[in-house]
């Protein structure tokens, strides 16, 4: 059974009731006169009573029409306020944002950006959920996900907001009693700390000029959390392959040593991801712009690959 819209024709009726003219009502509503007339007729048919008296020269309200108009006087302002409240989320940076991010990226970089953003936007609140898995944005009702990944699923809108090179590193303690690897194949004799969600599996990829190497590893320790692998590397458990946004501070502090730095591994693009919908709320657009500007200034989230450097040189 088709459900009837109780508001169908109401705006057309009120415009005619206020102007006592179908032509003026049509002009006010930016409709054709026949459309306004048809909507009013459909409304009268649904209500089962005549609301307007029409002659070739005059339009007037019937007694029922006047009663209906007066009753709507309290309803229409509420409807306009409801429309204003809904559309404000499209026009103004207000409301709550639900964000998903991986723990190794979200715990530091995203959280710090959120704190700075909230100081500047008092009308916004944010809920951050940290998970190593890609959430279903629609089913789990997330406004936005931050993904540090090389591949993305279809049916989403993405904006690249940063990039982070993957590096190989180990602690000075680990290297103290061992030969430092000088070639990717040397990793076969070392304890490797492996990110279990790496899309290549237990194979580390290296390239140098025209040379490529694929090194199968047998991890001594693996985890789906980059921070856990970082902790293991800092405690001398082995050699880790991790993005700079995880290990950068430890490398600069001398707590870790970068290895095989004359070999390129890969660069992880950081994306803001939201459902494929052309009506992106202002709060989400504002936050993504802020996040992109902030992350682009971070030394561990700069794309240092040769291709990116060549692109910058051409600018």
């Amino acid at each position: 059974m088709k459900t009837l819209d109780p508001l169908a024709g109401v705006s057309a009726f009120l415009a005619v009731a206020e102007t006592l003219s179908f032509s003026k009502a049509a002009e006010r509503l930016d409709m054709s006169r026949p459309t306004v007339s048809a909507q009013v007729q459909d409304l009268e048919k649904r209500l089962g009573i005549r609301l307007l008296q029409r002659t070739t020269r005059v339009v007037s309200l019937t007694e029922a029409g006047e009663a209906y108009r007066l009753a709507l006087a309290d309803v229409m302002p509420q409807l306009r306020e409801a429309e204003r409240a809904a559309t404000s989320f499209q026009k103004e940076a207000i409301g709550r944002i639900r964000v998903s991010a991986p723990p190794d990226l979200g715990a530091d970089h995203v959280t710090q950006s959120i704190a700075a953003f909230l100081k500047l936007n008092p009308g916004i609140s944010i809920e951050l959920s940290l998970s190593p898995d890609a959430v279903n944005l629609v089913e789990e009702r997330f406004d936005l996900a931050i993904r540090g990944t090389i591949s993305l699923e279809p049916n989403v809108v993405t904006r690249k907001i940063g990039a982070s090179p993957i590096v190989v590193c180990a602690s000075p303690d680990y290297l103290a009693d061992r030969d430092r690897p000088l070639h990717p194949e040397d990793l076969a004799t070392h304890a490797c700390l492996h990110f279990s969600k790496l899309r290549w599996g237990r194979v580390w990829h290296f390239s140098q000029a025209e040379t490529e190497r694929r090194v199968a590893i047998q991890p001594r320790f693996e985890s789906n959390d980059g921070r856990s692998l970082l902790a293991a590397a800092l405690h001398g458990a082995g050699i880790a392959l991790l993005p700079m946004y995880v290990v950068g501070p430890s490398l600069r502090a001398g707590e870790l040593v970068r290895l095989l730095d004359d070999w390129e591994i890969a660069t992880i693009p950081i994306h803001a991801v939201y459902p494929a919908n052309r009506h992106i709320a202002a709060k989400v657009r504002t936050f993504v712009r802020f996040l992109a500007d902030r992350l682009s200034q971070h030394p561990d989230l700069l794309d240092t690959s040769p291709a990116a450097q060549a692109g910058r040189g051409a600018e």
Side-chain angles (χ1 to χ4, degrees):
M1 179 179 178
K2 184 177 180 181
T3 301
L4 296 176
D5 180 359
L7 297 178
V10 169
S11 294
F13 164 74
L14 287 175
V16 176
E18 291 170 8
T19 61
L20 295 178
S21 167
F22 280 89
S23 297
K24 292 180 180 178
E27 183 177 345
R28 174 183 294 186
L29 298 173
D30 195 22
M31 296 179 179
S32 68
R33 188 184 185 286
T35 298
V36 173
S37 179
Q39 288 190 3
V40 172
Q41 288 178 21
D42 288 344
L43 176 63
E44 290 177 324
K45 183 178 180 180
R46 190 172 77 245
L47 296 176
I49 193 167
R50 183 175 291 278
L51 300 173
L52 298 168
Q53 293 287 3
R54 308 161 178 82
T55 69
T56 55
R57 298 177 60 185
V58 178
V59 176
S60 61
L61 290 165
T62 65
E63 185 177 2
E66 180 63 21
Y68 191 53
R69 183 188 69 81
L70 291 174
L72 288 171
D74 294 330
V75 175
M76 295 310 292
Q78 295 179 43
L79 288 175
R80 294 189 184 99
E81 176 59 23
E83 289 182 355
R84 188 208 65 77
T87 57
S88 67
F89 286 90
Q90 184 68 14
K91 299 175 182 177
E92 303 173 33
I94 58 173
R96 188 172 186 82
I97 306 175
R98 296 194 70 229
V99 183
S100 172
D104 53 9
L105 180 63
D108 292 322
H109 300 287
V110 176
T111 299
Q112 291 173 18
S113 296
I114 287 174
F117 179 78
L118 291 176
K119 291 180 180 179
L120 299 174
N121 295 273
I124 292 179
S125 61
I126 294 179
E127 175 188 344
L128 175 64
S129 175
L130 299 179
S131 171
D133 300 316
V135 298
N136 186 303
L137 296 175
V138 175
E139 291 182 4
E140 299 182 49
R141 302 187 68 180
F142 281 97
D143 298 293
L144 175 71
I146 308 302
R147 304 263 174 86
T149 182
I150 294 176
S151 61
L152 292 166
E153 69 272 26
N155 302 318
V156 295
V157 176
T158 67
R159 174 177 174 178
K160 187 176 179 181
I161 58 175
S164 189
I166 299 175
V167 300
V168 174
C169 56
S171 70
D173 287 345
Y174 174 82
L175 296 170
D177 301 324
R178 298 171 177 83
D179 293 332
R180 181 178 300 202
L182 301 177
H183 193 277
E185 273 79 4
D186 295 341
L187 293 170
T189 62
H190 285 271
C192 292
L193 313 177
H194 180 65
F195 183 64
S196 60
K197 288 189 171 294
L198 191 69
R199 71 185 182 103
W200 310 319
R202 293 177 173 176
V203 178
W204 291 2
H205 293 199
F206 298 86
S207 63
Q208 186 183 73
E210 301 298 321
T211 303
E212 293 190 359
R213 290 290 183 268
R214 304 288 183 264
V215 179
I217 62 162
Q218 294 298 321
R220 291 293 307 280
F221 173 60
E222 61 183 327
S223 172
N224 65 351
D225 177 33
R227 295 173 304 172
S228 297
L229 296 170
L230 170 62
L234 289 171
H235 284 83
I239 296 176
L241 180 145
L242 287 168
M244 278 293 291
Y245 65 74
V246 174
V247 300
S250 299
L251 288 172
R252 288 188 287 274
E255 299 168 329
L256 293 176
V257 177
R258 185 168 177 176
L259 305 171
L260 301 174
D261 55 359
D262 54 343
W263 289 82
E264 185 179 355
I265 302 172
T267 296
I268 298 178
I270 310 301
H271 287 93
V273 183
Y274 24 90
N277 186 331
R278 61 189 178 91
H279 301 297
I280 305 300
K283 60 185 180 182
V284 175
R285 295 196 305 270
T286 302
F287 179 58
V288 170
R289 282 197 301 268
F290 180 88
L291 198 59
D293 290 343
R294 186 178 175 89
L295 296 186
S296 68
Q297 301 174 37
H298 197 285
D300 297 331
L301 289 161
L302 298 175
D303 191 345
T304 58
S305 65
Q309 295 299 318
R312 291 192 187 99
E315 292 176 354

